Amino acid sequence: MKTNEEILDLFENHLAQIQLPEEPKDLYAPIIYSMSGGGKRIRPTLLLLVCEAFGGKLQDALPAASAVEMFHNFTLLHDDIMDNADVRRGKPSVFARWGENVAILSGDAMMIYAYRLLSGAPADKLPRIMDIFTTMALQVCEGQQYDMDFEKRQKVSVVEYMNMIELKTSVLLAGAAMIGAVLGDASEGDCKKIYRYALELGLAFQQQDDLLDSYGTVEELGKRIGGDILEGKKTCLMLNAMSRATEPDRDILRSTHLDAKLSEDEKIARVKEVYDRYDVPRTIQQQISLRFERALAILDTLEIAVERTEHLRVFAQNLMGRKK
Amino acid sequence: MKTNEEILDLFENHLAQIQLPEEPKDLYAPIIYSMSGGGKRIRPTLLLLVCEAFGGKLQDALPAASAVEMFHNFTLLHDDIMDNADVRRGKPSVFARWGENVAILSGDAMMIYAYRLLSGAPADKLPRIMDIFTTMALQVCEGQQYDMDFEKRQKVSVVEYMNMIELKTSVLLAGAAMIGAVLGDASEGDCKKIYRYALELGLAFQQQDDLLDSYGTVEELGKRIGGDILEGKKTCLMLNAMSRATEPDRDILRSTHLDAKLSEDEKIARVKEVYDRYDVPRTIQQQISLRFERALAILDTLEIAVERTEHLRVFAQNLMGRKK
């Protein structure tokens, strides 16, 4: 079995061989730009690892893996328009570089192209894989819509938030894993389990992302600490605190980021002080650990030999930035 | 065999039974709004007629027909953002009613949903149908990109223009027809012929659209005559005239719509005077008739009995607004 690094190499090679048309330039150049802009290839890697764990052929799974990666990059491209985001992975976003119309249209073409790639899957499995892929893709749109809805709302519950991030980000990882399982001829039960494994992992990853944004180091996060607090973002930390705080503390949580008299550091410190008072970081850390352990425990229950799941455990640890 | 009207009824019934989720509202309500906003259902009708002409089951073809209609409405939705168009079929466009972000995202969901519908096609034909559908969908994006490119360019040749409208509009009709042929178990040769039939018809229809905009009656066109001239649009009339006119006449064609000293009626009259001088309307009318006849002639060469193509002839005549 291939290691995670070997799988990634194989995938990058496959991607590099995809030949997009050259004309019209403004339709296809942004797609090439997006796809070669780095990214950790988390979803296709997982798809391939799962396929291999169940004894499937990697060659059969590469088209679907590239479809998932293209779909992911399509969502980023359109999200950047909706969020007015100028920068993506340290470079100008397609929206910033080519303008809005090109970003809309090349995003559309990207999504259609994802289905082109997907249709390279073995014909006997195509209906099933299309179903998983399409369900997942619609859920991602639903998640993005809830995310935009929540920004405009005063009150969002923790349950609503977790449902939103599940749709917006975790189902994509889970769907990728499930497609890998189908391609590896996993049993129906194992397909569902592997979906659950990736879903828990995806949620843990998102919650960790929220936690690190306020409590991580610059090295871990790759950007300055406290960005979410300064934006007044409804993260799982914020919503957890809001659900348990007294009214005066809620006021602090709601209004600190708008207070023109405070410096940025003061704003961050003031909100974190409330978080700490309600033991929010530890609560969230426990939730993350619980999900992570739950994900790994699912691997023990699969119908395949435990040794075959080794790379999926390493994948989980890498994703969460944990040493084994 | 069912008449065109019966086919349309069947299709509308099928569409009405598609149940979209209710939440999130701003994702799905615009899709329902778009799909129920009228439209002539030209493409699904053709798909179904072709399927039936080859002896296929209409029930098998309804999912693909609805996929094609949903894809068509998706393109209108995103085009309206790119064109800043507030009105669609006499009602506010999704873009105007819900704003840009909702229009982008619900359009995305619509396109994904089109693939969901498409996957309702018989499994043994799904890979082939997906391939035709995806190729067609990418070409529509290419056509839209060329259209936007041409708006910014000084000079566009007639050949470039015809290639653009073929991609932007005709391949969708042609792809729909071909999917119908595949679902009707047509031979490979007949699939290609039926594609060509619809492509010629689509081009004839678009050219007629250009012609009516300057030379039709308000009844035929459904809006005021001369809109294209007032916008200085590069239509097939304009490009045909530009390719043959003297430099002073070209100047009139290029600049009249910008001349603030002229009334709208004067602008229209002045441009049409140049068109008439070069016999443009008759030239274009000949091209339209040639394509129309070519489309009908293709039907004579199919491997099925000529009687079975009767409804496809009626379809062509209806589309072009011709009495039999």
Side-chain angles (χ1 to χ4, degrees), chain A residues 214 224-227 229-230 256 263-273:
Chain A
S214 298
R224 70 161 292 180
I225 300 302
I229 292 175
L230 295 175
T256 299
S263 74
E264 293 197 336
D265 284 348
E266 284 167 335
K267 288 178 186 176
I268 294 168
R270 180 169 295 191
V271 170
K272 282 173 76 170
E273 191 200 318

Side-chain angles (χ1 to χ4, degrees), chain A residues 165-180:
Chain A
I165 63 166
E166 178 171 322
L167 291 168
K168 186 171 170 172
T169 71
S170 306
V171 296
L172 189 46
L173 196 64
M178 199 181 200
I179 290 171

Side-chain angles (χ1 to χ4, degrees), chain A residues 27-48:
Chain A
L27 187 66
Y28 291 111
I31 303 182
I32 296 166
Y33 179 80
S34 299
M35 291 299 287
S36 56
K40 286 168 285 180
R41 317 297 193 196
I42 292 170
R43 297 148 199 87
T45 298
L46 181 59
L47 189 155
L48 295 167

